[in-house]
Amino acid sequence: MLWLCLYPTRLSLESLDAADRPDVAIVQSKGNRRWIVDTTAACASGMELGTALALYSLTQIERRPEAERAALEQLAYFAYTLGAPVHLITEEPRWFGDAPLGAVVVEVSASLSLFGGLDALRRFVNERIGEQSLTVRPGLAPTIEGAVLAAQAGLVFDSLPRFRVWLKRQPLTTLRLPEQAIKVCTGSGMQTAGDVLRIPAESLARRFGAVVPRYLRRLLGKAADPRPAIVPPETFVRRWQMLGVIETVEGLLFPLRRLLVELEQYLRARDSGLMRFHIDLLHEDHSRSVVEVGLSMASRDASHFLLITRQRFERVELPGGVVELTLRAESFVAPNVAQHDLFDNAAKRLQDWNTLIEKLRARWGSEAIWSMAAASDHRPERAWRKLQPGQDDVEVETPPRPTWLLPEPRQIERPAELLGTPERIAVGWWEAPTERDYFQARGPDGRKLWVYQDKHSLRWMLHGYWS
Protein backbone atom coordinates (compact mmCIF):
# COMPACT_ATOMS: atom_id res chain seq x y z
CA MET A 1 0.00 0.00 0.00
CA LEU A 2 1.03 3.59 -0.56
CA TRP A 3 -0.51 6.44 1.41
CA LEU A 4 -0.53 10.07 0.32
CA CYS A 5 -0.90 12.56 3.17
CA LEU A 6 -2.15 16.10 2.56
CA TYR A 7 -0.93 18.14 5.52
CA PRO A 8 -2.30 21.71 5.93
CA THR A 9 0.57 23.70 7.39
CA ARG A 10 -1.61 26.61 8.61
CA LEU A 11 -4.87 24.86 9.37
CA SER A 12 -5.79 26.83 12.51
CA LEU A 13 -5.38 30.16 10.70
CA GLU A 14 -6.74 29.27 7.29
CA SER A 15 -9.81 27.46 8.58
CA LEU A 16 -10.86 30.86 10.00
CA ASP A 17 -9.71 32.81 6.92
CA ALA A 18 -7.22 34.68 9.12
CA ALA A 19 -3.93 33.82 7.38
CA ASP A 20 -3.84 37.13 5.47
CA ARG A 21 -4.64 39.32 8.47
CA PRO A 22 -1.68 41.03 10.17
CA ASP A 23 -0.75 40.28 13.78
CA VAL A 24 -3.39 37.60 14.38
CA ALA A 25 -2.77 34.86 16.93
CA ILE A 26 -4.78 31.66 17.22
CA VAL A 27 -4.91 30.88 20.91
CA GLN A 28 -5.30 27.54 22.73
CA SER A 29 -6.08 27.14 26.43
CA LYS A 30 -5.12 24.44 28.89
CA GLY A 31 -6.41 25.13 32.36
CA ASN A 32 -5.59 28.76 33.18
CA ARG A 33 -2.67 28.89 30.76
CA ARG A 34 -2.90 30.00 27.13
CA TRP A 35 -0.45 29.70 24.28
CA ILE A 36 -0.21 30.60 20.61
CA VAL A 37 -1.03 27.75 18.22
CA ASP A 38 -0.29 29.72 15.05
CA THR A 39 0.18 33.39 14.22
CA THR A 40 0.82 35.88 11.44
CA ALA A 41 2.92 38.05 13.77
CA ALA A 42 6.66 37.85 14.37
CA CYS A 43 6.27 35.79 17.55
CA ALA A 44 6.73 32.02 17.48
CA SER A 45 4.05 29.37 17.63
CA GLY A 46 3.99 27.63 21.01
CA MET A 47 4.86 30.81 22.92
CA GLU A 48 2.92 31.56 26.08
CA LEU A 49 0.31 34.21 25.34
CA GLY A 50 1.27 36.49 28.23
CA THR A 51 4.88 36.60 27.10
CA ALA A 52 3.85 37.27 23.50
CA LEU A 53 1.51 40.11 24.48
CA ALA A 54 4.33 41.76 26.41
CA LEU A 55 6.37 41.90 23.21
CA TYR A 56 3.82 42.21 20.40
CA SER A 57 0.45 43.75 19.68
CA LEU A 58 -1.79 40.82 18.76
CA THR A 59 -5.38 40.20 17.78
CA GLN A 60 -6.42 37.08 19.66
CA ILE A 61 -8.75 34.49 18.12
CA GLU A 62 -9.74 31.38 20.01
CA ARG A 63 -8.94 28.18 18.14
CA ARG A 64 -12.01 26.50 16.64
CA PRO A 65 -11.54 22.73 16.22
CA GLU A 66 -14.93 22.42 14.49
CA ALA A 67 -13.82 24.87 11.78
CA GLU A 68 -10.58 22.92 11.33
CA ARG A 69 -12.46 19.65 10.91
CA ALA A 70 -14.85 21.23 8.39
CA ALA A 71 -11.88 22.46 6.35
CA LEU A 72 -10.28 19.01 6.50
CA GLU A 73 -13.50 17.39 5.29
CA GLN A 74 -13.45 19.59 2.19
CA LEU A 75 -9.83 18.62 1.59
CA ALA A 76 -10.90 14.98 1.92
CA TYR A 77 -13.42 15.45 -0.90
CA PHE A 78 -10.54 16.59 -3.13
CA ALA A 79 -8.56 13.52 -2.03
CA TYR A 80 -11.29 11.29 -3.47
CA THR A 81 -10.10 12.37 -6.95
CA LEU A 82 -6.78 10.68 -6.13
CA GLY A 83 -7.86 7.35 -4.68
CA ALA A 84 -9.72 5.58 -1.88
CA PRO A 85 -10.21 5.08 1.00
CA VAL A 86 -9.75 8.54 2.51
CA HIS A 87 -9.18 9.11 6.25
CA LEU A 88 -9.06 12.17 8.47
CA ILE A 89 -6.23 12.47 11.01
CA THR A 90 -7.05 14.79 13.91
CA GLU A 91 -5.16 15.02 17.18
CA GLU A 92 -5.41 17.63 19.94
CA PRO A 93 -2.24 19.22 21.40
CA ARG A 94 -0.44 16.73 23.65
CA TRP A 95 1.10 19.29 26.03
CA PHE A 96 1.28 23.01 26.70
CA GLY A 97 2.76 24.73 23.64
CA ASP A 98 2.16 21.76 21.32
CA ALA A 99 0.36 22.17 18.01
CA PRO A 100 -2.76 20.22 17.02
CA LEU A 101 -2.49 17.82 14.11
CA GLY A 102 -4.89 17.78 11.21
CA ALA A 103 -4.33 15.95 7.93
CA VAL A 104 -5.97 13.86 5.21
CA VAL A 105 -4.55 10.54 3.99
CA VAL A 106 -5.60 8.61 0.89
CA GLU A 107 -4.46 5.25 -0.45
CA VAL A 108 -3.10 5.83 -3.98
CA SER A 109 -1.35 2.61 -5.01
CA ALA A 110 -4.40 1.51 -7.01
CA SER A 111 -4.43 4.88 -8.83
CA LEU A 112 -0.85 4.87 -10.07
CA SER A 113 -1.71 3.16 -13.37
CA LEU A 114 -4.55 5.66 -13.91
CA PHE A 115 -2.24 8.66 -13.49
CA GLY A 116 0.69 7.05 -15.31
CA GLY A 117 3.02 6.33 -12.42
CA LEU A 118 4.13 7.89 -9.15
CA ASP A 119 5.87 10.87 -10.74
CA ALA A 120 2.77 11.75 -12.77
CA LEU A 121 0.61 11.47 -9.66
CA ARG A 122 2.93 13.78 -7.74
CA ARG A 123 2.84 16.34 -10.57
CA PHE A 124 -0.95 16.21 -10.62
CA VAL A 125 -1.14 16.70 -6.85
CA ASN A 126 1.29 19.62 -6.91
CA GLU A 127 -0.71 21.30 -9.68
CA ARG A 128 -4.03 20.87 -7.90
CA ILE A 129 -2.79 21.80 -4.42
CA GLY A 130 -2.64 25.45 -5.42
CA GLU A 131 -6.38 25.43 -6.07
CA GLN A 132 -7.18 24.45 -2.47
CA SER A 133 -8.25 26.94 0.18
CA LEU A 134 -5.59 25.51 2.50
CA THR A 135 -1.81 25.64 2.22
CA VAL A 136 -1.03 21.95 1.85
CA ARG A 137 2.23 20.02 2.01
CA PRO A 138 2.07 16.47 0.55
CA GLY A 139 3.99 13.46 1.77
CA LEU A 140 4.08 9.81 0.78
CA ALA A 141 4.85 6.63 2.72
CA PRO A 142 3.75 2.97 2.84
CA THR A 143 1.86 3.45 6.15
CA ILE A 144 -0.71 5.98 7.34
CA GLU A 145 1.32 7.11 10.36
CA GLY A 146 4.43 7.22 8.21
CA ALA A 147 2.69 9.35 5.58
CA VAL A 148 1.80 11.92 8.25
CA LEU A 149 5.45 12.23 9.32
CA ALA A 150 6.57 12.32 5.68
CA ALA A 151 4.12 15.15 4.91
CA GLN A 152 5.27 17.17 7.93
CA ALA A 153 8.79 16.90 6.52
CA GLY A 154 7.67 17.27 2.88
CA LEU A 155 9.24 13.97 1.81
CA VAL A 156 8.31 10.96 -0.33
CA PHE A 157 9.07 7.34 0.56
CA ASP A 158 7.92 4.64 -1.84
CA SER A 159 9.21 1.74 0.29
CA LEU A 160 9.31 0.79 3.96
CA PRO A 161 13.11 0.27 4.09
CA ARG A 162 13.76 3.82 2.87
CA PHE A 163 11.26 5.21 5.35
CA ARG A 164 12.78 3.28 8.28
CA VAL A 165 16.31 4.46 7.45
CA TRP A 166 15.14 8.07 7.47
CA LEU A 167 13.02 7.69 10.60
CA LYS A 168 15.82 6.26 12.77
CA ARG A 169 17.87 9.45 12.32
CA GLN A 170 15.05 11.85 13.26
CA PRO A 171 14.72 13.61 16.65
CA LEU A 172 12.69 11.82 19.26
CA THR A 173 9.96 14.49 19.13
CA THR A 174 9.25 13.56 15.50
CA LEU A 175 7.26 10.59 16.80
CA ARG A 176 3.64 11.31 17.77
CA LEU A 177 4.04 9.90 21.28
CA PRO A 178 2.16 10.95 24.43
CA GLU A 179 3.73 13.66 26.60
CA GLN A 180 4.65 11.26 29.40
CA ALA A 181 6.41 8.87 27.00
CA ILE A 182 8.45 11.73 25.51
CA LYS A 183 9.50 12.93 28.96
CA VAL A 184 10.52 9.47 30.16
CA CYS A 185 12.47 8.65 27.00
CA THR A 186 14.21 12.02 27.01
CA GLY A 187 15.05 11.63 30.71
CA SER A 188 16.58 8.24 29.92
CA GLY A 189 19.00 9.85 27.48
CA MET A 190 17.21 8.92 24.25
CA GLN A 191 17.60 11.54 21.50
CA THR A 192 16.43 9.98 18.24
CA ALA A 193 13.48 7.93 17.05
CA GLY A 194 15.89 5.07 16.43
CA ASP A 195 16.68 4.96 20.15
CA VAL A 196 13.02 4.27 20.91
CA LEU A 197 12.58 1.79 18.07
CA ARG A 198 15.36 -0.40 19.54
CA ILE A 199 13.40 -0.93 22.77
CA PRO A 200 11.41 -4.21 22.78
CA ALA A 201 7.65 -3.76 22.43
CA GLU A 202 7.08 -5.69 25.68
CA SER A 203 9.18 -3.19 27.64
CA LEU A 204 7.32 -0.23 26.11
CA ALA A 205 3.97 -1.84 26.91
CA ARG A 206 4.94 -2.41 30.59
CA ARG A 207 5.98 1.22 30.95
CA PHE A 208 3.48 3.11 28.80
CA GLY A 209 0.64 0.69 28.12
CA ALA A 210 -0.45 -0.61 24.73
CA VAL A 211 -0.74 2.79 23.04
CA VAL A 212 2.95 3.40 22.35
CA PRO A 213 3.92 -0.05 20.95
CA ARG A 214 0.72 -0.11 18.87
CA TYR A 215 1.61 3.28 17.37
CA LEU A 216 5.14 2.15 16.53
CA ARG A 217 3.97 -1.10 14.92
CA ARG A 218 1.52 0.79 12.74
CA LEU A 219 4.18 3.38 11.91
CA LEU A 220 6.56 0.69 10.67
CA GLY A 221 3.92 -1.38 8.87
CA LYS A 222 4.08 -4.29 11.32
CA ALA A 223 0.41 -4.04 12.31
CA ALA A 224 -2.83 -3.20 10.53
CA ASP A 225 -4.16 0.34 10.87
CA PRO A 226 -7.95 0.12 10.51
CA ARG A 227 -9.70 3.49 10.51
CA PRO A 228 -13.17 4.62 9.48
CA ALA A 229 -13.14 6.16 6.01
CA ILE A 230 -14.74 9.55 5.53
CA VAL A 231 -17.64 9.42 3.06
CA PRO A 232 -19.31 12.49 1.52
CA PRO A 233 -22.68 13.01 3.26
CA GLU A 234 -26.00 12.98 1.44
CA THR A 235 -26.30 16.78 1.64
CA PHE A 236 -23.73 19.56 1.52
CA VAL A 237 -23.96 22.03 4.41
CA ARG A 238 -21.01 24.32 5.08
CA ARG A 239 -21.25 27.02 7.74
CA TRP A 240 -18.86 29.96 7.75
CA GLN A 241 -18.61 32.25 10.77
CA MET A 242 -17.25 35.72 10.04
CA LEU A 243 -14.51 37.23 12.16
CA GLY A 244 -16.44 40.50 12.07
CA VAL A 245 -19.63 41.98 10.64
CA ILE A 246 -19.87 42.07 6.83
CA GLU A 247 -21.92 45.03 5.65
CA THR A 248 -21.61 44.69 1.85
CA VAL A 249 -22.37 42.04 -0.73
CA GLU A 250 -18.81 42.32 -2.05
CA GLY A 251 -17.50 41.29 1.36
CA LEU A 252 -19.59 38.11 1.23
CA LEU A 253 -18.08 37.02 -2.08
CA PHE A 254 -14.68 36.27 -0.51
CA PRO A 255 -15.86 33.48 1.81
CA LEU A 256 -18.39 32.37 -0.79
CA ARG A 257 -15.63 31.82 -3.34
CA ARG A 258 -13.94 29.44 -0.92
CA LEU A 259 -17.15 27.58 -0.05
CA LEU A 260 -18.07 27.18 -3.72
CA VAL A 261 -14.67 25.59 -4.42
CA GLU A 262 -15.38 23.19 -1.56
CA LEU A 263 -18.81 22.50 -3.07
CA GLU A 264 -17.17 21.61 -6.39
CA GLN A 265 -14.83 19.17 -4.64
CA TYR A 266 -17.79 17.60 -2.83
CA LEU A 267 -19.67 17.17 -6.13
CA ARG A 268 -16.63 15.65 -7.82
CA ALA A 269 -16.19 13.22 -4.93
CA ARG A 270 -19.82 12.14 -5.46
CA ASP A 271 -19.57 12.40 -9.27
CA SER A 272 -22.72 14.52 -9.36
CA GLY A 273 -23.91 18.02 -10.18
CA LEU A 274 -26.66 20.34 -9.04
CA MET A 275 -29.08 22.92 -10.40
CA ARG A 276 -29.89 24.81 -7.20
CA PHE A 277 -28.28 25.77 -3.92
CA HIS A 278 -29.13 28.11 -1.05
CA ILE A 279 -27.12 30.67 0.88
CA ASP A 280 -28.46 31.28 4.38
CA LEU A 281 -27.38 34.57 5.97
CA LEU A 282 -27.40 35.21 9.70
CA HIS A 283 -27.49 38.93 10.51
CA GLU A 284 -26.11 40.70 13.56
CA ASP A 285 -29.64 41.24 14.91
CA HIS A 286 -30.12 37.40 14.78
CA SER A 287 -32.55 37.62 11.85
CA ARG A 288 -32.05 35.37 8.84
CA SER A 289 -32.42 35.73 5.09
CA VAL A 290 -32.00 33.23 2.26
CA VAL A 291 -30.61 33.75 -1.23
CA GLU A 292 -31.49 31.02 -3.72
CA VAL A 293 -29.26 30.45 -6.73
CA GLY A 294 -30.66 28.44 -9.64
CA LEU A 295 -29.01 27.11 -12.80
CA SER A 296 -30.59 26.18 -16.11
CA MET A 297 -28.37 23.10 -16.47
CA ALA A 298 -26.65 20.88 -13.90
CA SER A 299 -23.08 21.92 -13.15
CA ARG A 300 -20.27 21.32 -10.67
CA ASP A 301 -17.93 24.13 -11.70
CA ALA A 302 -17.04 26.51 -8.85
CA SER A 303 -16.16 29.41 -11.18
CA HIS A 304 -19.55 29.03 -12.86
CA PHE A 305 -21.28 28.93 -9.47
CA LEU A 306 -19.47 32.12 -8.42
CA LEU A 307 -20.37 33.93 -11.65
CA ILE A 308 -24.08 33.21 -11.23
CA THR A 309 -23.96 33.93 -7.48
CA ARG A 310 -22.37 37.32 -8.14
CA GLN A 311 -25.14 38.18 -10.60
CA ARG A 312 -27.78 36.97 -8.15
CA PHE A 313 -26.40 39.11 -5.34
CA GLU A 314 -26.73 42.22 -7.50
CA ARG A 315 -30.48 41.98 -6.82
CA VAL A 316 -30.03 41.41 -3.07
CA GLU A 317 -30.29 44.23 -0.53
CA LEU A 318 -28.91 43.10 2.80
CA PRO A 319 -31.30 43.90 5.66
CA GLY A 320 -28.33 44.14 8.04
CA GLY A 321 -24.73 43.16 8.64
CA VAL A 322 -23.89 39.47 8.18
CA VAL A 323 -22.06 37.52 10.89
CA GLU A 324 -22.46 34.00 9.48
CA LEU A 325 -23.39 32.34 6.22
CA THR A 326 -24.28 28.76 5.37
CA LEU A 327 -24.01 27.22 1.90
CA ARG A 328 -26.56 24.45 1.49
CA ALA A 329 -27.15 21.99 -1.38
CA GLU A 330 -29.63 19.16 -0.94
CA SER A 331 -30.69 17.93 -4.38
CA PHE A 332 -28.22 16.47 -6.87
CA VAL A 333 -28.38 15.24 -10.45
CA ALA A 334 -25.98 13.88 -13.03
CA PRO A 335 -23.50 16.59 -14.05
CA ASN A 336 -23.83 18.15 -17.48
CA VAL A 337 -20.23 17.89 -18.71
CA ALA A 338 -19.83 19.20 -22.23
CA GLN A 339 -17.70 17.00 -24.50
CA HIS A 340 -16.08 19.36 -26.99
CA ASP A 341 -15.26 18.22 -30.51
CA LEU A 342 -12.14 19.36 -32.33
CA PHE A 343 -14.10 20.50 -35.41
CA ASP A 344 -17.55 21.17 -33.98
CA ASN A 345 -18.07 23.82 -31.30
CA ALA A 346 -21.83 23.23 -30.94
CA ALA A 347 -21.40 22.03 -27.36
CA LYS A 348 -19.40 25.16 -26.54
CA ARG A 349 -22.09 27.41 -28.05
CA LEU A 350 -24.80 25.60 -26.08
CA GLN A 351 -22.80 26.00 -22.88
CA ASP A 352 -22.28 29.72 -23.56
CA TRP A 353 -26.00 30.14 -24.29
CA ASN A 354 -26.97 28.45 -21.02
CA THR A 355 -24.50 30.61 -19.12
CA LEU A 356 -26.06 33.74 -20.63
CA ILE A 357 -29.54 32.60 -19.62
CA GLU A 358 -28.39 31.88 -16.07
CA LYS A 359 -26.75 35.32 -15.78
CA LEU A 360 -29.92 37.06 -16.98
CA ARG A 361 -32.11 35.05 -14.62
CA ALA A 362 -29.78 35.76 -11.71
CA ARG A 363 -29.81 39.49 -12.45
CA TRP A 364 -33.49 40.00 -13.36
CA GLY A 365 -35.23 37.09 -11.67
CA SER A 366 -36.34 33.67 -12.86
CA GLU A 367 -39.71 34.96 -14.09
CA ALA A 368 -38.12 37.55 -16.39
CA ILE A 369 -36.58 35.03 -18.80
CA TRP A 370 -38.81 32.65 -20.70
CA SER A 371 -39.62 31.36 -24.15
CA MET A 372 -42.89 30.60 -25.91
CA ALA A 373 -44.40 27.17 -26.40
CA ALA A 374 -47.65 25.85 -27.80
CA ALA A 375 -50.57 25.21 -25.43
CA SER A 376 -53.46 22.78 -25.83
CA ASP A 377 -56.11 25.40 -26.69
CA HIS A 378 -57.65 26.03 -30.11
CA ARG A 379 -58.19 29.74 -29.43
CA PRO A 380 -55.19 31.57 -30.93
CA GLU A 381 -54.94 34.08 -28.08
CA ARG A 382 -54.67 31.16 -25.63
CA ALA A 383 -52.68 28.71 -27.75
CA TRP A 384 -49.34 29.65 -26.24
CA ARG A 385 -47.70 29.55 -22.82
CA LYS A 386 -44.50 30.61 -21.11
CA LEU A 387 -41.73 28.03 -20.92
CA GLN A 388 -38.89 28.27 -18.42
CA PRO A 389 -35.35 27.73 -19.76
CA GLY A 390 -34.45 24.06 -19.64
CA GLN A 391 -38.09 22.98 -19.28
CA ASP A 392 -39.18 20.26 -21.70
CA ASP A 393 -41.75 21.32 -24.29
CA VAL A 394 -44.80 19.25 -25.16
CA GLU A 395 -45.63 18.95 -28.85
CA VAL A 396 -49.08 20.27 -29.78
CA GLU A 397 -50.40 19.83 -33.30
CA THR A 398 -51.94 23.02 -34.67
CA PRO A 399 -52.99 24.11 -38.17
CA PRO A 400 -50.97 26.83 -39.91
CA ARG A 401 -51.14 30.06 -37.92
CA PRO A 402 -49.51 33.46 -38.50
CA THR A 403 -46.77 34.45 -36.05
CA TRP A 404 -47.96 38.06 -35.87
CA LEU A 405 -51.16 38.38 -33.85
CA LEU A 406 -52.74 41.67 -32.82
CA PRO A 407 -52.98 42.34 -29.04
CA GLU A 408 -56.77 42.40 -29.51
CA PRO A 409 -58.81 41.46 -32.62
CA ARG A 410 -59.95 44.58 -34.53
CA GLN A 411 -63.33 44.87 -36.30
CA ILE A 412 -63.16 45.35 -40.08
CA GLU A 413 -65.41 45.21 -43.10
CA ARG A 414 -65.77 41.87 -44.82
CA PRO A 415 -62.63 41.40 -46.96
CA ALA A 416 -63.25 41.40 -50.68
CA GLU A 417 -60.93 38.44 -51.31
CA LEU A 418 -60.98 35.34 -49.09
CA LEU A 419 -58.36 32.65 -49.71
CA GLY A 420 -58.68 28.91 -49.23
CA THR A 421 -61.09 27.06 -46.98
CA PRO A 422 -62.06 28.31 -43.51
CA GLU A 423 -60.90 26.88 -40.16
CA ARG A 424 -63.72 26.62 -37.67
CA ILE A 425 -62.98 27.05 -33.95
CA ALA A 426 -65.83 26.18 -31.57
CA VAL A 427 -64.58 25.93 -27.98
CA GLY A 428 -64.91 27.40 -24.50
CA TRP A 429 -68.44 26.26 -23.71
CA TRP A 430 -67.42 25.96 -20.02
CA GLU A 431 -66.52 29.66 -19.67
CA ALA A 432 -67.03 31.98 -22.68
CA PRO A 433 -68.31 30.10 -25.75
CA THR A 434 -66.28 30.91 -28.85
CA GLU A 435 -67.37 30.05 -32.39
CA ARG A 436 -65.39 31.51 -35.25
CA ASP A 437 -64.59 30.84 -38.90
CA TYR A 438 -60.99 31.83 -39.73
CA PHE A 439 -59.91 32.77 -43.26
CA GLN A 440 -56.82 33.88 -45.03
CA ALA A 441 -57.61 37.09 -46.88
CA ARG A 442 -56.00 39.65 -49.15
CA GLY A 443 -56.08 43.26 -47.91
CA PRO A 444 -56.49 46.36 -50.09
CA ASP A 445 -52.73 46.98 -49.89
CA GLY A 446 -51.94 43.41 -50.92
CA ARG A 447 -50.97 42.17 -47.48
CA LYS A 448 -52.08 38.72 -46.44
CA LEU A 449 -54.45 38.90 -43.49
CA TRP A 450 -55.81 36.44 -40.98
CA VAL A 451 -59.46 37.23 -40.30
CA TYR A 452 -62.46 35.54 -38.80
CA GLN A 453 -66.22 35.92 -38.65
CA ASP A 454 -67.81 35.59 -35.23
CA LYS A 455 -70.74 33.23 -35.73
CA HIS A 456 -72.72 34.84 -32.90
CA SER A 457 -72.41 38.52 -33.84
CA LEU A 458 -71.59 37.89 -37.56
CA ARG A 459 -68.91 40.61 -37.32
CA TRP A 460 -65.64 40.32 -39.21
CA MET A 461 -62.45 40.72 -37.18
CA LEU A 462 -58.79 41.11 -38.11
CA HIS A 463 -56.66 38.89 -35.81
CA GLY A 464 -53.18 38.82 -37.43
CA TYR A 465 -50.90 39.16 -40.42
CA TRP A 466 -49.02 36.58 -42.43
CA SER A 467 -45.38 37.37 -43.13
Side-chain angles (χ1 to χ4, degrees):
M1 303 184 78
L2 201 58
W3 294 92
L4 172 69
C5 177
L6 303 175
Y7 170 62
T9 58
R10 315 209 73 185
L11 179 61
S12 297
L13 278 167
E14 292 177 334
S15 63
L16 300 177
D17 199 24
D20 296 329
R21 298 171 179 250
D23 300 325
V24 168
I26 306 298
V27 178
Q28 174 85 28
S29 301
K30 186 174 184 180
N32 295 326
R33 304 179 67 191
R34 291 158 65 82
W35 76 93
I36 296 175
V37 173
D38 202 356
T39 179
T40 60
C43 56
S45 299
M47 181 181 292
E48 187 170 13
L49 181 61
T51 303
L53 290 176
L55 300 173
Y56 306 96
S57 176
L58 300 174
T59 300
Q60 304 174 45
I61 301 177
E62 198 71 26
R63 177 175 165 251
R64 297 180 191 162
E66 69 281 0
E68 296 175 7
R69 182 174 179 85
L72 285 175
E73 288 175 353
Q74 310 312 313
L75 185 60
Y77 301 151
F78 160 69
Y80 264 104
T81 64
L82 307 174
V86 177
H87 305 288
L88 289 190
I89 308 294
T90 56
E91 294 180 13
E92 288 297 300
R94 295 165 292 174
W95 54 75
F96 183 87
D98 189 28
L101 173 65
V104 173
V105 291
V106 52
E107 209 286 314
V108 295
S109 61
S111 304
L112 294 182
S113 59
L114 174 65
F115 285 94
L118 181 57
D119 291 338
L121 173 63
R122 292 176 60 189
R123 286 195 298 270
F124 177 81
V125 171
N126 290 331
E127 291 171 1
R128 293 292 303 276
I129 277 178
E131 303 173 5
Q132 308 307 307
S133 54
L134 300 173
T135 303
V136 177
R137 182 187 299 153
L140 201 72
T143 66
I144 293 179
E145 296 288 1
V148 174
L149 300 187
Q152 290 179 318
L155 299 174
V156 172
F157 302 99
D158 56 2
S159 68
L160 273 173
R162 288 186 57 203
F163 171 69
R164 290 172 179 172
V165 170
W166 170 83
L167 182 61
K168 290 178 181 179
R169 298 195 299 264
Q170 301 312 302
L172 175 63
T173 52
T174 301
L175 301 174
R176 300 291 302 180
L177 297 178
E179 179 181 13
Q180 182 62 23
I182 292 288
K183 287 183 177 179
V184 171
C185 293
T186 303
S188 301
M190 301 181 189
Q191 297 180 346
T192 66
D195 295 335
V196 178
L197 295 177
R198 283 193 291 267
I199 301 176
E202 295 78 8
S203 300
L204 292 173
R206 284 195 301 270
R207 186 62 186 267
F208 306 115
V211 174
V212 172
R214 184 189 304 121
Y215 166 76
L216 295 177
R217 286 198 301 270
R218 290 178 175 179
L219 177 65
L220 299 177
K222 297 179 179 179
D225 194 351
R227 299 170 186 256
I230 182 170
V231 179
E234 293 299 317
T235 60
F236 179 89
V237 180
R238 181 72 161 92
R239 185 171 64 93
W240 186 266
Q241 189 173 354
M242 310 296 181
L243 295 179
V245 179
I246 303 298
E247 302 283 354
T248 64
V249 168
E250 289 76 13
L252 294 177
L253 293 177
F254 288 100
L256 275 174
R257 180 183 293 107
R258 171 173 178 161
L259 298 190
L260 291 172
V261 170
E262 295 177 357
L263 176 59
E264 176 185 338
Q265 293 171 352
Y266 167 87
L267 294 172
R268 291 185 180 277
R270 290 190 48 164
D271 193 23
S272 60
L274 55 77
M275 297 185 63
R276 189 173 305 278
F277 57 88
H278 302 81
I279 303 168
D280 301 333
L281 305 176
L282 175 63
H283 302 281
E284 55 183 334
D285 61 356
H286 302 291
S287 63
R288 293 183 178 272
S289 58
V290 179
V291 178
E292 184 176 301
V293 180
L295 309 175
S296 61
M297 297 185 70
S299 176
R300 61 185 181 193
D301 183 358
S303 59
H304 182 66
F305 292 157
L306 181 63
L307 174 65
I308 304 305
T309 301
R310 187 189 298 272
Q311 298 289 337
R312 177 68 180 87
F313 266 100
E314 290 184 0
R315 299 173 48 233
V316 174
E317 184 175 348
L318 297 178
V322 178
V323 296
E324 181 182 290
L325 64 83
T326 302
L327 181 63
R328 187 184 309 273
E330 300 174 340
S331 180
F332 307 99
V333 295
N336 182 42
V337 182
Q339 300 294 328
H340 300 297
D341 189 275
L342 179 62
F343 302 105
D344 184 8
N345 60 355
K348 177 66 166 56
R349 291 197 303 270
L350 177 61
Q351 195 172 42
D352 293 343
W353 172 250
N354 290 325
T355 300
L356 173 62
I357 291 175
E358 290 168 351
K359 291 171 64 176
L360 295 176
R361 293 181 69 184
R363 178 173 294 184
W364 294 335
S366 58
E367 298 299 324
I369 308 298
W370 49 271
S371 59
M372 291 178 59
S376 299
D377 197 313
H378 293 284
R379 289 167 290 189
E381 64 272 18
R382 300 193 183 186
W384 67 278
R385 60 190 175 92
K386 292 182 179 180
L387 196 66
Q388 292 295 326
Q391 183 179 354
D392 292 335
D393 193 6
V394 178
E395 291 189 14
V396 178
E397 293 186 7
T398 58
R401 300 280 178 84
T403 55
W404 184 2
L405 295 182
L406 300 179
E408 296 290 341
R410 188 171 70 242
Q411 185 173 351
I412 59 173
E413 296 294 330
R414 184 184 189 280
E417 184 181 0
L418 299 176
L419 307 175
T421 57
E423 174 193 352
R424 170 155 293 189
I425 294 178
V427 72
W429 55 266
W430 57 90
E431 47 180 359
T434 300
E435 191 172 356
R436 306 168 184 170
D437 283 342
Y438 275 88
F439 295 85
Q440 298 182 30
R442 187 80 64 187
D445 56 357
R447 286 199 295 177
K448 195 175 180 181
L449 314 177
W450 201 44
V451 301
Y452 70 83
Q453 184 185 31
D454 188 289
K455 303 308 291 181
H456 297 290
S457 64
L458 301 181
R459 290 181 299 180
W460 287 86
M461 311 292 290
L462 173 64
H463 203 162
Y465 295 94
W466 295 87
S467 59

